[in-house]
Amino acid sequence: MTGRLASARTALDHQKSWFADLRRQVADGTPFALVNADAPQEIFRAAGMPYVVNQWWSSIISAKRLSGRYLGALREHGLPDDNEQYSALPLAEAMTGGDDRPYGGLPMPSLVLVERTGDGLHRMFDIWRSEFGVPVHVLESSAAGAVPVNWWDLMPRQWEQAVGTDRLDLLERELEAVADRVEALTGRPLSLEALDEVMRLSNEQAEWNRRTRDLIAAAPRCPIRVNDAIPAVMIPQWHRGTR
């Protein structure tokens, strides 16, 4: 097999043009968020507030072979360069600056959103506030006392059984707080009708991902290469909720 799948190339080309448009919007005064991969991105989508996924931008930095220099910037600021490297690179880029930043560089965000999956990750995102004055919103990452052995079968629709009522109630309150913060930044109320459509499209995309996964898993040999699968799957994941 030679060459790159057309779907992967299309995804990469779309991402470049999308990011250029995002930079233009931010330059015109549109607020935008830097969010972790597990953040409730659908709220931003429904509110019409652009966002960049922290780990995607880390992958762009790595692809441009700038990660070594940026991690060095963390060391120069007295910060560890061996903890959460995949998540730390956008912060390191902001500390480094320079004219060689990928795609012109990540604009300074209006809000940073992270899930508290560890002390190191929480502290890293808090540096956006202490160093650059960017507001940080932290979501809890509550752990279940016991996890069902077949949790992957339950997660699509049986949330109460898979996650538990207390954890769902906590997340609901936290999502409401995120929505309040987004409304304050955009200056307009969040449309529940728009959110409903975004969620419908996100669920539809997830179903197609599941079907495609099952096709690949059932194939006698892997029909695509990893460097085709990653951009063809992950880039659309960051645009879920759109057509």
Side-chain angles (χ1 to χ4, degrees), residues 27-74:
D28 291 338
T30 300
F32 103 100
L34 178 67
V35 304
N36 227 34
D38 47 13
Q41 297 160 27
E42 286 80 0
I43 292 177
F44 295 91
R45 179 79 63 204
M49 180 175 170
Y51 63 88
V52 168
V53 175
N54 187 57
Q55 283 75 15
W56 170 71
W57 192 246
S58 291
S59 73
I60 296 299
I61 290 172
S62 298
K64 300 301 182 181
R65 300 185 177 183
L66 291 168
S67 56
R69 181 158 69 86
Y70 287 175
L71 291 173
L74 294 181

Side-chain angles (χ1 to χ4, degrees), residues 105-124:
L106 183 73
M108 189 60 62
S110 310
L111 176 70
V112 173
L113 180 64
V114 63
E115 185 170 333
R116 197 194 311 269
T117 53
D119 292 340
L121 191 64
H122 181 191
R123 172 59 181 148
M124 177 200 313

Side-chain angles (χ1 to χ4, degrees), residues 13-216:
D13 290 343
H14 173 79
Q15 194 72 350
K16 290 180 181 179
S17 62
W18 163 81
F19 186 74
D21 183 63
L22 180 145
R23 281 176 50 86
R24 286 191 291 268
Q25 292 182 60
V26 175
D28 291 338
T30 300
F32 103 100
L34 178 67
V35 304
N36 227 34
D38 47 13
Q41 297 160 27
E42 286 80 0
I43 292 177
F44 295 91
R45 179 79 63 204
M49 180 175 170
Y51 63 88
V52 168
V53 175
N54 187 57
Q55 283 75 15
W56 170 71
W57 192 246
S58 291
S59 73
I60 296 299
I61 290 172
S62 298
K64 300 301 182 181
R65 300 185 177 183
L66 291 168
S67 56
R69 181 158 69 86
Y70 287 175
L71 291 173
L74 294 181
R75 292 193 298 271
E76 292 171 3
H77 283 77
L79 299 170
D81 64 352
D82 57 354
N83 184 27
E84 298 281 359
Q85 289 180 325
Y86 192 39
S87 300
L89 287 174
L91 173 64
E93 181 206 348
M95 292 178 166
T96 304
D99 297 329
D100 60 345
R101 295 186 296 166
Y103 301 168
L106 183 73
M108 189 60 62
S110 310
L111 176 70
V112 173
L113 180 64
V114 63
E115 185 170 333
R116 197 194 311 269
T117 53
D119 292 340
L121 191 64
H122 181 191
R123 172 59 181 148
M124 177 200 313
F125 274 78
D126 195 51
I127 293 174
W128 283 97
R129 178 192 56 77
S130 61
E131 290 289 323
F132 304 107
V134 177
V136 178
H137 193 101
V138 182
L139 298 172
E140 292 296 337
S141 181
S142 58
V147 178
V149 293
N150 63 328
W151 60 266
W152 53 85
D153 294 324
L154 302 174
M155 281 303 294
R157 291 177 178 84
Q158 296 168 268
W159 293 353
E160 294 283 349
Q161 186 177 350
V163 178
T165 301
D166 290 343
R167 296 174 72 205
L168 288 173
D169 289 347
L170 171 63
L171 182 57
E172 181 181 6
R173 293 192 299 270
E174 292 197 316
L175 294 180
E176 290 172 350
V178 172
D180 289 343
R181 199 147 196 176
V182 170
E183 288 179 339
L185 284 168
T186 61
R188 55 182 179 270
L190 175 66
S191 167
L192 295 182
E193 291 77 13
L195 182 59
D196 183 71
E197 175 64 6
V198 167
M199 292 304 301
R200 185 188 68 79
L201 290 170
S202 291
N203 287 335
E204 181 181 346
Q205 178 176 331
E207 178 62 20
W208 281 110
N209 284 351
R210 184 190 65 79
R211 295 179 184 182
T212 306
R213 176 207 64 191
D214 291 347
L215 284 172
I216 294 174

